[in-house]
Coordinates of all heavy atoms in Angstrom, one line a residue:
M99 N 22.3 -24.1 -42.3 CA 22.4 -25.5 -41.8 C 23.5 -25.3 -40.7 O 24.5 -24.7 -40.8 CB 22.9 -26.3 -42.9 CG 23.0 -27.8 -42.5 SD 23.5 -28.9 -43.8 CE 22.5 -28.4 -45.2
G100 N 23.2 -26.0 -39.6 CA 24.2 -26.0 -38.5 C 24.1 -27.3 -37.6 O 23.3 -28.2 -37.9
R101 N 24.8 -27.2 -36.5 CA 24.8 -28.4 -35.6 C 24.6 -27.8 -34.2 O 25.0 -26.7 -33.9 CB 26.2 -29.1 -35.6 CG 26.4 -29.8 -36.9 CD 27.7 -30.6 -36.9 NE 27.5 -31.9 -37.1 CZ 28.3 -32.9 -37.1 NH1 29.6 -32.6 -36.9 NH2 28.0 -34.1 -37.4
Y102 N 24.1 -28.6 -33.4 CA 24.0 -28.3 -31.9 C 24.7 -29.4 -31.1 O 24.8 -30.5 -31.5 CB 22.5 -28.1 -31.5 CG 21.6 -29.3 -31.8 CD1 21.6 -30.4 -30.9 CD2 20.9 -29.4 -33.1 CE1 20.7 -31.5 -31.2 CE2 20.1 -30.5 -33.3 CZ 19.9 -31.5 -32.3 OH 19.2 -32.6 -32.6
Q103 N 25.2 -29.0 -29.9 CA 26.0 -29.8 -29.1 C 25.1 -30.7 -28.1 O 25.5 -31.7 -27.7 CB 26.9 -29.0 -28.2 CG 27.9 -28.2 -29.1 CD 28.8 -29.1 -29.9 OE1 29.3 -30.1 -29.5 NE2 29.0 -28.7 -31.2
T104 N 23.9 -30.2 -27.6 CA 23.3 -30.8 -26.6 C 21.7 -31.0 -27.0 O 21.1 -30.1 -27.5 CB 23.3 -30.0 -25.3 OG1 24.6 -29.7 -25.0 CG2 22.6 -30.7 -24.2
A105 N 21.2 -32.2 -26.8 CA 19.8 -32.5 -27.0 C 19.0 -31.6 -26.1 O 19.3 -31.5 -24.9 CB 19.5 -33.9 -26.9
K106 N 17.9 -30.9 -26.6 CA 17.0 -30.2 -25.6 C 15.6 -30.3 -26.2 O 15.4 -30.4 -27.4 CB 17.4 -28.7 -25.6 CG 18.8 -28.5 -24.9 CD 19.0 -27.1 -24.7 CE 20.4 -27.0 -23.9 NZ 20.7 -25.6 -23.6
Q107 N 14.7 -30.1 -25.3 CA 13.2 -30.1 -25.7 C 12.7 -28.7 -25.8 O 13.1 -27.9 -25.0 CB 12.4 -31.0 -24.7 CG 12.9 -32.4 -24.6 CD 12.6 -33.2 -25.9 OE1 11.5 -33.0 -26.5 NE2 13.5 -33.9 -26.3
N108 N 11.8 -28.4 -26.7 CA 11.1 -27.2 -26.8 C 12.0 -25.9 -26.8 O 11.8 -25.1 -26.0 CB 10.0 -27.1 -25.7 CG 8.8 -26.2 -26.0 OD1 8.5 -26.1 -27.2 ND2 8.2 -25.7 -25.0
V109 N 12.9 -25.9 -27.7 CA 13.8 -24.8 -27.9 C 13.2 -23.7 -28.8 O 12.8 -24.1 -29.9 CB 15.2 -25.3 -28.5 CG1 16.1 -24.2 -28.7 CG2 15.8 -26.4 -27.5
G110 N 13.3 -22.5 -28.4 CA 12.9 -21.4 -29.2 C 14.0 -20.9 -30.1 O 15.0 -20.8 -29.7
F111 N 13.6 -20.5 -31.3 CA 14.6 -19.8 -32.1 C 13.9 -18.8 -33.1 O 12.6 -18.9 -33.2 CB 15.3 -20.8 -33.0 CG 14.4 -21.7 -34.0 CD1 14.2 -21.3 -35.3 CD2 13.8 -22.8 -33.5 CE1 13.4 -22.1 -36.1 CE2 13.0 -23.6 -34.3 CZ 12.9 -23.2 -35.6
S112 N 14.6 -17.8 -33.5 CA 14.0 -16.7 -34.4 C 15.0 -16.5 -35.6 O 16.2 -16.7 -35.5 CB 14.0 -15.4 -33.6 OG 13.1 -15.5 -32.5
V113 N 14.4 -16.1 -36.7 CA 15.0 -15.8 -37.9 C 14.6 -14.5 -38.4 O 13.4 -14.2 -38.4 CB 14.7 -16.9 -39.1 CG1 15.4 -16.5 -40.3 CG2 15.1 -18.3 -38.6
R114 N 15.5 -13.6 -38.6 CA 15.3 -12.2 -39.1 C 15.9 -12.0 -40.4 O 17.0 -12.4 -40.7 CB 15.8 -11.3 -38.1 CG 15.1 -11.2 -36.8 CD 15.7 -10.3 -35.8 NE 15.5 -10.8 -34.5 CZ 16.3 -10.9 -33.5 NH1 17.4 -10.2 -33.6 NH2 16.0 -11.4 -32.3
G115 N 15.3 -11.2 -41.2 CA 15.8 -10.9 -42.5 C 15.0 -9.9 -43.2 O 14.1 -9.2 -42.5
V116 N 15.1 -9.7 -44.5 CA 14.4 -8.8 -45.3 C 13.8 -9.5 -46.5 O 14.5 -10.3 -47.2 CB 15.3 -7.6 -45.8 CG1 14.6 -6.7 -46.7 CG2 15.9 -6.8 -44.6
R117 N 12.6 -9.3 -46.7 CA 11.8 -9.9 -47.9 C 11.1 -8.8 -48.6 O 10.3 -8.1 -48.0 CB 11.0 -11.1 -47.4 CG 10.3 -11.8 -48.6 CD 9.5 -13.0 -48.2 NE 8.4 -12.6 -47.4 CZ 7.6 -13.5 -46.8 NH1 7.8 -14.8 -47.0 NH2 6.6 -13.2 -46.2
D118 N 11.3 -8.8 -49.9 CA 10.7 -7.7 -50.7 C 10.8 -6.2 -50.1 O 10.0 -5.5 -50.0 CB 9.2 -8.0 -50.9 CG 9.0 -9.3 -51.7 OD1 9.8 -9.6 -52.6 OD2 8.0 -10.0 -51.4
G119 N 12.0 -6.0 -49.5 CA 12.3 -4.7 -49.0 C 11.7 -4.5 -47.6 O 11.9 -3.4 -46.9
A120 N 11.0 -5.4 -47.0 CA 10.4 -5.2 -45.6 C 11.1 -6.2 -44.7 O 11.4 -7.3 -45.0 CB 8.9 -5.6 -45.8
A121 N 11.2 -5.7 -43.5 CA 11.8 -6.5 -42.4 C 10.9 -7.6 -42.1 O 9.6 -7.4 -42.1 CB 12.1 -5.6 -41.1
L122 N 11.5 -8.8 -41.8 CA 10.7 -10.0 -41.5 C 11.3 -10.8 -40.4 O 12.6 -10.9 -40.3 CB 10.6 -11.0 -42.8 CG 10.0 -12.3 -42.6 CD1 8.5 -12.1 -42.4 CD2 10.2 -13.2 -43.8
E123 N 10.5 -11.2 -39.4 CA 11.0 -12.0 -38.3 C 10.0 -13.1 -38.1 O 8.8 -12.9 -38.1 CB 11.1 -11.2 -37.0 CG 11.7 -12.0 -35.8 CD 11.9 -11.2 -34.6 OE1 11.9 -10.0 -34.6 OE2 12.2 -11.9 -33.6
M124 N 10.6 -14.4 -38.1 CA 9.8 -15.5 -37.8 C 10.4 -16.3 -36.6 O 11.6 -16.4 -36.5 CB 9.8 -16.5 -39.1 CG 9.3 -15.8 -40.3 SD 9.5 -16.7 -41.8 CE 9.0 -18.3 -41.5
S125 N 9.5 -16.8 -35.8 CA 9.9 -17.5 -34.5 C 9.1 -18.9 -34.5 O 8.0 -18.9 -35.0 CB 9.6 -16.7 -33.3 OG 10.3 -15.5 -33.3
A126 N 9.8 -19.8 -33.9 CA 9.2 -21.2 -33.7 C 9.9 -21.9 -32.6 O 10.9 -21.4 -32.0 CB 9.4 -22.0 -35.1
K127 N 9.4 -23.0 -32.3 CA 9.9 -23.9 -31.2 C 10.1 -25.3 -31.8 O 9.3 -25.7 -32.6 CB 9.1 -23.9 -30.0 CG 9.1 -22.6 -29.2 CD 8.4 -22.7 -27.9 CE 8.6 -21.4 -27.2 NZ 8.3 -21.5 -25.7
A128 N 11.2 -26.0 -31.4 CA 11.4 -27.3 -31.9 C 12.2 -28.1 -30.8 O 12.8 -27.5 -29.9 CB 12.1 -27.3 -33.2
S129 N 12.1 -29.4 -30.8 CA 12.9 -30.3 -30.0 C 14.1 -30.6 -30.8 O 14.1 -30.9 -32.0 CB 12.1 -31.5 -29.6 OG 11.0 -31.1 -28.8
L130 N 15.2 -30.7 -30.1 CA 16.5 -31.1 -30.7 C 16.9 -32.5 -30.1 O 17.4 -32.6 -29.0 CB 17.6 -30.0 -30.4 CG 17.3 -28.6 -30.8 CD1 18.4 -27.7 -30.3 CD2 17.0 -28.4 -32.2
P131 N 16.7 -33.6 -30.9 CA 16.9 -34.9 -30.3 C 18.4 -35.2 -30.3 O 19.2 -34.6 -31.0 CB 16.3 -35.8 -31.4 CG 16.3 -35.0 -32.6 CD 16.2 -33.6 -32.3
Q132 N 18.8 -36.1 -29.5 CA 20.2 -36.6 -29.4 C 20.7 -37.2 -30.7 O 21.8 -36.9 -31.2 CB 20.4 -37.5 -28.3 CG 21.9 -38.0 -28.1 CD 22.7 -36.9 -27.5 OE1 22.2 -36.1 -26.8 NE2 23.9 -36.7 -28.0
A133 N 19.8 -37.9 -31.3 CA 20.1 -38.5 -32.7 C 18.9 -38.6 -33.5 O 17.8 -38.8 -32.9 CB 20.8 -39.8 -32.5
D134 N 19.0 -38.5 -34.8 CA 17.8 -38.7 -35.6 C 18.2 -39.3 -37.0 O 19.0 -38.7 -37.7 CB 17.2 -37.3 -35.9 CG 15.8 -37.4 -36.7 OD1 15.5 -38.5 -37.2 OD2 15.1 -36.3 -36.8
A135 N 17.8 -40.5 -37.2 CA 18.3 -41.2 -38.4 C 17.3 -41.0 -39.5 O 17.5 -41.6 -40.6 CB 18.4 -42.7 -38.0
S136 N 16.3 -40.2 -39.5 CA 15.4 -40.0 -40.5 C 16.0 -39.2 -41.8 O 15.4 -39.3 -42.8 CB 14.2 -39.3 -40.0 OG 14.4 -38.0 -39.5
H137 N 17.1 -38.6 -41.6 CA 17.8 -37.9 -42.7 C 19.2 -38.1 -42.7 O 20.0 -37.3 -42.3 CB 17.5 -36.3 -42.6 CG 16.0 -36.0 -42.6 ND1 15.2 -36.0 -43.7 CD2 15.2 -35.7 -41.6 CE1 14.0 -35.7 -43.5 NE2 14.0 -35.5 -42.2
P138 N 19.6 -39.4 -43.1 CA 21.0 -39.8 -43.0 C 22.0 -38.9 -43.8 O 23.2 -38.8 -43.5 CB 21.0 -41.2 -43.5 CG 19.8 -41.4 -44.3 CD 18.8 -40.4 -43.7
Q139 N 21.5 -38.1 -44.8 CA 22.4 -37.4 -45.7 C 22.7 -36.0 -45.0 O 23.8 -35.4 -45.4 CB 21.7 -37.1 -47.0 CG 20.5 -36.1 -47.0 CD 19.2 -36.7 -46.5 OE1 19.1 -37.8 -46.0 NE2 18.1 -35.9 -46.7
L140 N 22.1 -35.7 -43.9 CA 22.3 -34.3 -43.4 C 23.7 -34.1 -42.8 O 24.3 -33.0 -43.0 CB 21.3 -34.0 -42.3 CG 19.9 -33.6 -42.9 CD1 18.9 -33.3 -41.7 CD2 20.0 -32.4 -43.9
P141 N 24.3 -35.0 -42.1 CA 25.7 -34.8 -41.6 C 26.7 -34.5 -42.8 O 27.5 -33.6 -42.6 CB 26.1 -36.0 -40.8 CG 24.7 -36.6 -40.3 CD 23.8 -36.3 -41.5
R142 N 26.6 -35.2 -43.8 CA 27.5 -34.9 -44.9 C 27.2 -33.6 -45.6 O 28.1 -32.9 -46.0 CB 27.3 -36.1 -46.0 CG 28.4 -36.0 -47.0 CD 28.5 -37.3 -47.8 NE 29.6 -37.3 -48.7 CZ 29.6 -36.9 -49.9 NH1 28.5 -36.5 -50.5 NH2 30.7 -37.0 -50.8
L143 N 25.9 -33.3 -45.7 CA 25.6 -31.9 -46.3 C 26.1 -30.8 -45.4 O 26.5 -29.8 -45.9 CB 24.0 -31.9 -46.5 CG 23.4 -32.7 -47.5 CD1 21.9 -32.6 -47.6 CD2 23.9 -32.3 -48.9
W144 N 25.9 -31.0 -44.0 CA 26.4 -30.0 -43.1 C 27.9 -29.9 -43.3 O 28.5 -28.8 -43.4 CB 26.1 -30.4 -41.7 CG 26.9 -29.5 -40.7 CD1 26.5 -28.3 -40.3 CD2 28.1 -29.8 -40.2 NE1 27.4 -27.7 -39.5 CE2 28.5 -28.6 -39.4 CE3 29.1 -30.8 -40.2 CZ2 29.7 -28.5 -38.7 CZ3 30.2 -30.7 -39.6 CH2 30.6 -29.6 -38.8
A145 N 28.7 -31.0 -43.4 CA 30.1 -31.0 -43.6 C 30.5 -30.3 -44.8 O 31.4 -29.5 -44.8 CB 30.7 -32.4 -43.5
R146 N 29.8 -30.5 -45.9 CA 30.1 -29.9 -47.2 C 29.9 -28.3 -47.1 O 30.7 -27.6 -47.6 CB 29.2 -30.5 -48.3 CG 29.5 -29.9 -49.7 CD 30.8 -30.5 -50.2 NE 31.7 -29.4 -50.4 CZ 32.9 -29.5 -51.0 NH1 33.3 -30.7 -51.5 NH2 33.7 -28.5 -51.2
A147 N 28.8 -28.0 -46.5 CA 28.5 -26.5 -46.2 C 29.6 -25.9 -45.4 O 30.0 -24.7 -45.7 CB 27.1 -26.3 -45.7
R148 N 30.0 -26.6 -44.4 CA 31.0 -26.0 -43.5 C 32.3 -25.8 -44.3 O 33.0 -24.9 -44.2 CB 31.2 -27.0 -42.3 CG 32.4 -26.6 -41.4 CD 32.1 -25.4 -40.6 NE 33.2 -25.0 -39.7 CZ 33.6 -23.8 -39.4 NH1 32.8 -22.8 -39.9 NH2 34.6 -23.6 -38.7
V149 N 32.7 -26.8 -45.1 CA 33.9 -26.8 -45.9 C 33.8 -25.6 -46.9 O 34.7 -24.8 -47.1 CB 34.2 -28.1 -46.6 CG1 35.3 -27.9 -47.7 CG2 34.8 -29.1 -45.6
D150 N 32.7 -25.5 -47.5 CA 32.4 -24.3 -48.5 C 32.7 -23.0 -47.8 O 33.3 -22.1 -48.3 CB 31.1 -24.4 -49.1 CG 30.9 -25.5 -50.1 OD1 32.0 -26.2 -50.5 OD2 29.8 -25.9 -50.5
A151 N 32.2 -22.9 -46.5 CA 32.3 -21.6 -45.8 C 33.8 -21.4 -45.4 O 34.3 -20.3 -45.5 CB 31.5 -21.7 -44.5
L152 N 34.5 -22.5 -45.1 CA 36.0 -22.4 -44.8 C 36.8 -22.0 -46.0 O 37.7 -21.3 -45.9 CB 36.5 -23.7 -44.1 CG 35.9 -24.0 -42.8 CD1 36.3 -25.4 -42.4 CD2 36.4 -23.0 -41.7
L153 N 36.4 -22.6 -47.2 CA 37.0 -22.2 -48.4 C 36.9 -20.7 -48.8 O 37.8 -20.0 -49.2 CB 36.6 -23.2 -49.5 CG 37.1 -24.6 -49.4 CD1 36.3 -25.4 -50.5 CD2 38.6 -24.7 -49.6
E154 N 35.7 -20.2 -48.5 CA 35.4 -18.8 -48.7 C 36.2 -17.9 -47.8 O 36.7 -16.9 -48.2 CB 33.9 -18.5 -48.5 CG 33.0 -19.0 -49.7 CD 31.5 -18.8 -49.4 OE1 31.1 -18.0 -48.6 OE2 30.8 -19.5 -50.1
K155 N 36.3 -18.4 -46.5 CA 37.2 -17.7 -45.5 C 38.6 -17.6 -46.1 O 39.3 -16.6 -46.0 CB 37.1 -18.4 -44.2 CG 37.9 -17.8 -43.2 CD 37.9 -18.6 -41.9 CE 38.8 -18.1 -40.8 NZ 40.2 -18.5 -41.0
I156 N 39.1 -18.6 -46.5 CA 40.5 -18.7 -47.0 C 40.6 -17.8 -48.2 O 41.6 -17.0 -48.3 CB 40.9 -20.2 -47.5 CG1 41.2 -21.0 -46.2 CG2 42.2 -20.1 -48.3 CD1 41.4 -22.5 -46.4
Q157 N 39.6 -17.8 -49.1 CA 39.7 -16.9 -50.2 C 39.7 -15.4 -49.8 O 40.4 -14.6 -50.4 CB 38.5 -17.2 -51.2 CG 38.6 -16.6 -52.6 CD 37.5 -17.3 -53.4 OE1 36.3 -17.3 -53.0 NE2 37.8 -17.7 -54.6
R158 N 39.0 -15.1 -48.8 CA 38.8 -13.7 -48.3 C 40.0 -13.3 -47.5 O 40.6 -12.2 -47.6 CB 37.5 -13.6 -47.5 CG 37.2 -12.2 -46.9 CD 35.9 -12.3 -46.2 NE 36.0 -13.1 -45.0 CZ 35.4 -14.2 -44.7 NH1 34.4 -14.7 -45.6 NH2 35.6 -14.9 -43.6
D159 N 40.4 -14.2 -46.5 CA 41.5 -13.8 -45.5 C 42.8 -14.4 -45.7 O 43.7 -14.1 -44.9 CB 40.9 -14.2 -44.1 CG 39.6 -13.5 -43.8 OD1 39.3 -12.4 -44.4 OD2 38.8 -14.1 -43.0
G160 N 42.9 -15.4 -46.6 CA 44.2 -16.1 -46.7 C 44.2 -17.4 -45.9 O 43.3 -17.7 -45.0
E161 N 45.1 -18.3 -46.3 CA 45.2 -19.6 -45.6 C 45.8 -19.5 -44.1 O 46.6 -18.7 -43.8 CB 46.2 -20.5 -46.3 CG 45.7 -21.0 -47.8 CD 46.7 -21.9 -48.4 OE1 47.8 -21.8 -48.1 OE2 46.2 -22.7 -49.2
D162 N 45.2 -20.4 -43.2 CA 45.9 -20.6 -42.0 C 45.7 -22.1 -41.7 O 44.8 -22.8 -42.2 CB 45.2 -19.7 -40.9 CG 43.8 -20.1 -40.6 OD1 43.5 -21.0 -39.9 OD2 42.9 -19.5 -41.2
Q163 N 46.7 -22.6 -40.9 CA 46.8 -24.1 -40.7 C 45.6 -24.7 -40.1 O 45.1 -25.8 -40.4 CB 48.0 -24.5 -40.0 CG 48.4 -25.9 -40.1 CD 48.6 -26.4 -41.5 OE1 49.3 -25.8 -42.3 NE2 47.9 -27.4 -41.9
A164 N 44.9 -24.0 -39.1 CA 43.8 -24.5 -38.4 C 42.5 -24.7 -39.4 O 41.9 -25.7 -39.4 CB 43.4 -23.7 -37.3
T165 N 42.4 -23.8 -40.4 CA 41.3 -23.9 -41.3 C 41.6 -25.0 -42.2 O 40.7 -25.8 -42.5 CB 41.1 -22.5 -42.0 OG1 40.9 -21.5 -41.1 CG2 40.0 -22.6 -43.0
I166 N 42.8 -25.1 -42.8 CA 43.2 -26.2 -43.7 C 43.0 -27.6 -43.0 O 42.5 -28.4 -43.6 CB 44.6 -26.0 -44.2 CG1 44.7 -24.8 -45.1 CG2 45.1 -27.2 -44.9 CD1 46.2 -24.4 -45.4
D167 N 43.5 -27.7 -41.8 CA 43.3 -28.9 -41.0 C 41.8 -29.3 -40.8 O 41.5 -30.5 -41.0 CB 43.9 -28.9 -39.7 CG 45.4 -28.7 -39.7 OD1 46.0 -29.0 -40.8 OD2 46.0 -28.4 -38.7
E168 N 41.0 -28.4 -40.6 CA 39.5 -28.6 -40.5 C 38.9 -29.1 -41.8 O 38.1 -30.0 -41.9 CB 38.7 -27.5 -39.9 CG 37.3 -27.8 -39.6 CD 36.5 -26.8 -39.0 OE1 37.1 -25.7 -38.6 OE2 35.2 -26.9 -38.8
I169 N 39.3 -28.4 -42.9 CA 38.8 -28.8 -44.2 C 39.3 -30.3 -44.5 O 38.5 -31.1 -45.0 CB 39.4 -27.9 -45.3 CG1 38.7 -26.6 -45.2 CG2 39.2 -28.5 -46.7 CD1 39.4 -25.5 -46.0
I170 N 40.5 -30.6 -44.2 CA 41.0 -32.0 -44.6 C 40.3 -33.0 -43.7 O 39.8 -34.1 -44.1 CB 42.5 -32.1 -44.3 CG1 43.3 -31.2 -45.4 CG2 43.0 -33.5 -44.3 CD1 44.7 -31.0 -45.2
R171 N 40.1 -32.6 -42.3 CA 39.4 -33.6 -41.4 C 38.0 -33.9 -41.9 O 37.5 -35.0 -41.9 CB 39.4 -33.0 -40.0 CG 38.8 -33.9 -39.0 CD 38.7 -33.3 -37.6 NE 37.9 -32.1 -37.6 CZ 36.5 -32.1 -37.6 NH1 35.8 -33.2 -37.7 NH2 35.9 -31.0 -37.6
L172 N 37.3 -32.8 -42.2 CA 35.9 -33.0 -42.6 C 35.8 -33.7 -44.0 O 34.9 -34.7 -44.1 CB 35.2 -31.6 -42.8 CG 34.9 -31.0 -41.4 CD1 34.4 -29.6 -41.7 CD2 33.8 -31.7 -40.6
A173 N 36.7 -33.4 -44.9 CA 36.7 -34.1 -46.2 C 37.0 -35.6 -46.1 O 36.4 -36.5 -46.7 CB 37.7 -33.4 -47.1
R174 N 37.9 -35.9 -45.2 CA 38.2 -37.4 -44.9 C 37.1 -38.1 -44.2 O 36.7 -39.2 -44.6 CB 39.5 -37.5 -44.2 CG 40.7 -37.2 -44.9 CD 41.9 -37.3 -44.1 NE 43.2 -37.1 -45.0 CZ 44.3 -36.9 -44.5 NH1 44.6 -36.9 -43.2 NH2 45.4 -36.7 -45.3
E175 N 36.5 -37.5 -43.2 CA 35.4 -38.1 -42.4 C 34.2 -38.3 -43.2 O 33.5 -39.4 -43.1 CB 35.1 -37.2 -41.2 CG 34.1 -37.8 -40.3 CD 33.8 -36.9 -39.0 OE1 34.6 -36.1 -38.7 OE2 32.8 -37.2 -38.4
Y176 N 33.8 -37.3 -44.1 CA 32.6 -37.4 -44.9 C 32.8 -37.8 -46.3 O 31.9 -37.8 -47.1 CB 31.8 -36.1 -44.7 CG 31.3 -35.9 -43.4 CD1 32.0 -35.1 -42.4 CD2 30.2 -36.6 -42.9 CE1 31.5 -35.0 -41.1 CE2 29.7 -36.4 -41.6 CZ 30.4 -35.6 -40.7 OH 29.9 -35.5 -39.5
K177 N 34.1 -38.1 -46.7 CA 34.4 -38.6 -48.0 C 34.0 -37.8 -49.1 O 33.2 -38.2 -50.0 CB 33.9 -40.1 -48.1 CG 34.4 -41.0 -47.0 CD 33.8 -42.4 -47.1 CE 34.4 -43.3 -46.1 NZ 34.3 -43.0 -44.7
F178 N 34.6 -36.6 -49.2 CA 34.4 -35.7 -50.5 C 35.8 -35.1 -50.8 O 36.6 -35.0 -49.9 CB 33.3 -34.8 -50.4 CG 33.2 -33.9 -49.1 CD1 34.0 -32.8 -49.2 CD2 32.4 -34.2 -48.1 CE1 33.9 -32.0 -48.0 CE2 32.4 -33.4 -47.0 CZ 33.2 -32.2 -47.0
V179 N 35.8 -34.6 -52.0 CA 37.1 -34.0 -52.5 C 37.0 -32.5 -52.3 O 36.0 -31.8 -52.5 CB 37.3 -34.3 -54.0 CG1 38.5 -33.6 -54.6 CG2 37.3 -35.8 -54.1
T180 N 38.1 -31.9 -51.9 CA 38.4 -30.5 -51.8 C 39.6 -30.1 -52.4 O 40.4 -30.9 -52.8 CB 38.4 -30.1 -50.3 OG1 39.6 -30.5 -49.7 CG2 37.3 -30.7 -49.5
P181 N 39.9 -28.8 -52.6 CA 41.2 -28.3 -53.2 C 42.4 -28.8 -52.2 O 43.6 -28.9 -52.7 CB 41.1 -26.8 -53.1 CG 39.7 -26.5 -53.2 CD 39.0 -27.7 -52.4
Y182 N 42.1 -29.2 -51.0 CA 43.2 -29.7 -50.1 C 43.2 -31.2 -50.0 O 44.0 -31.7 -49.2 CB 43.0 -29.0 -48.7 CG 43.2 -27.6 -48.8 CD1 42.1 -26.7 -49.0 CD2 44.5 -26.9 -48.7 CE1 42.2 -25.4 -49.0 CE2 44.7 -25.6 -48.9 CZ 43.6 -24.8 -49.0 OH 43.7 -23.4 -49.1
T183 N 42.3 -31.9 -50.7 CA 42.4 -33.3 -50.6 C 42.3 -33.8 -52.0 O 41.9 -33.0 -52.9 CB 41.2 -33.9 -49.8 OG1 40.0 -33.4 -50.3 CG2 41.3 -33.5 -48.3
S184 N 42.5 -35.1 -52.3 CA 42.3 -35.6 -53.6 C 41.8 -37.1 -53.5 O 41.7 -37.6 -52.4 CB 43.6 -35.6 -54.4 OG 44.5 -36.5 -53.7
F185 N 41.2 -37.4 -54.6 CA 40.6 -38.8 -54.6 C 41.4 -39.7 -55.6 O 41.6 -39.3 -56.7 CB 39.2 -38.7 -55.1 CG 38.5 -40.1 -55.3 CD1 38.1 -40.8 -54.1 CD2 38.3 -40.6 -56.5 CE1 37.6 -42.1 -54.3 CE2 37.7 -41.8 -56.7 CZ 37.3 -42.6 -55.5
S186 N 41.8 -40.8 -55.1 CA 42.5 -41.8 -56.0 C 41.9 -43.2 -55.8 O 42.2 -43.8 -54.8 CB 44.0 -41.8 -55.6 OG 44.7 -42.8 -56.4
P187 N 41.1 -43.6 -56.8 CA 40.5 -44.9 -56.7 C 41.5 -46.0 -56.7 O 41.3 -47.1 -56.2 CB 39.6 -45.0 -57.8 CG 40.1 -44.0 -58.8 CD 40.7 -42.9 -58.0
C188 N 42.7 -45.7 -57.2 CA 43.7 -46.8 -57.2 C 44.2 -47.3 -55.8 O 44.8 -48.3 -55.7 CB 45.0 -46.4 -58.1 SG 44.5 -46.2 -59.8
R189 N 44.0 -46.4 -54.8 CA 44.5 -46.7 -53.5 C 43.6 -47.8 -52.9 O 44.0 -48.7 -52.2 CB 44.3 -45.6 -52.6 CG 45.4 -44.5 -52.9 CD 45.2 -43.3 -51.9 NE 46.2 -42.3 -52.4 CZ 46.2 -41.1 -51.9 NH1 45.4 -40.7 -50.9 NH2 47.1 -40.2 -52.4
A190 N 42.3 -47.8 -53.3 CA 41.3 -48.9 -52.7 C 41.3 -50.1 -53.6 O 40.9 -51.2 -53.2 CB 40.0 -48.3 -52.5
L191 N 41.5 -49.9 -55.0 CA 41.3 -50.9 -55.9 C 42.6 -51.2 -56.6 O 43.6 -50.4 -56.6 CB 40.3 -50.5 -57.0 CG 38.9 -50.0 -56.5 CD1 38.1 -49.4 -57.7 CD2 38.1 -51.2 -55.9
S192 N 42.7 -52.4 -57.2 CA 43.9 -52.7 -57.9 C 43.7 -52.1 -59.4 O 42.8 -52.3 -60.1 CB 44.0 -54.3 -58.1 OG 45.1 -54.6 -58.9
C193 N 44.7 -51.3 -59.7 CA 44.6 -50.6 -61.0 C 45.4 -51.3 -62.1 O 46.5 -51.8 -61.8 CB 45.1 -49.1 -60.9 SG 44.1 -48.1 -59.9
V194 N 44.9 -51.4 -63.2 CA 45.6 -52.0 -64.4 C 45.9 -50.9 -65.4 O 45.0 -50.1 -65.8 CB 44.7 -53.0 -65.1 CG1 45.4 -53.7 -66.3 CG2 44.3 -54.1 -64.1
H195 N 47.2 -50.7 -65.7 CA 47.6 -49.8 -66.7 C 47.9 -50.5 -68.0 O 48.5 -51.5 -68.0 CB 48.9 -49.1 -66.2 CG 48.7 -48.3 -64.8 ND1 48.0 -47.1 -64.9 CD2 49.0 -48.6 -63.7 CE1 48.0 -46.7 -63.6 NE2 48.6 -47.6 -62.8
G196 N 47.4 -50.0 -69.1 CA 47.8 -50.7 -70.3 C 47.6 -50.0 -71.5 O 47.5 -49.0 -72.0

């Protein structure tokens, strides 16, 4: 899953890999629209996948401030919890302790 910066028509792409021990390559063409509201969940899924990749990077290479800042920014923008953010419903709602 990824993002692109510029809308373009008839863009070619290829995917290479191995399936059942044999090399495989698939190619196709697609148009990349400026915006597409047909799958509103995709931006949040992309952000979650990006954060997961950044967390793996931290686990492998150690923490750096730029990576932590990106995790926090994405988690706040797309509203999900990470090891660097937390969720407190009491901030938005009036909590009753008793």
Side-chain angles (χ1 to χ4, degrees):
M99 186 180 312
R101 293 184 122 177
Y102 54 88
Q103 299 295 321
T104 307
K106 292 188 178 181
Q107 298 296 315
N108 207 26
V109 176
F111 61 93
S112 298
V113 177
R114 291 180 208 140
V116 177
R117 183 173 65 185
D118 297 327
L122 175 69
E123 181 173 349
M124 298 169 52
S125 298
K127 291 190 176 198
S129 293
L130 307 176
Q132 185 64 37
D134 184 351
S136 61
H137 302 285
Q139 73 281 10
L140 283 182
R142 189 167 191 269
L143 289 173
W144 170 85
R146 183 74 243 188
R148 176 69 179 147
V149 165
D150 288 345
L152 292 170
L153 291 170
E154 288 177 17
K155 176 185 177 283
I156 286 174
Q157 199 170 41
R158 183 182 62 246
D159 302 332
E161 291 182 335
D162 65 84
Q163 196 58 50
T165 302
I166 293 168
D167 290 347
E168 185 173 356
I169 289 169
I170 293 169
R171 180 185 63 77
L172 289 169
R174 286 180 177 165
E175 182 176 346
Y176 292 98
K177 298 176 178 58
F178 54 82
V179 177
T180 73
Y182 296 93
T183 59
S184 64
F185 176 73
S186 175
C188 293
R189 291 181 187 171
L191 303 172
S192 175
C193 292
V194 177
H195 300 282

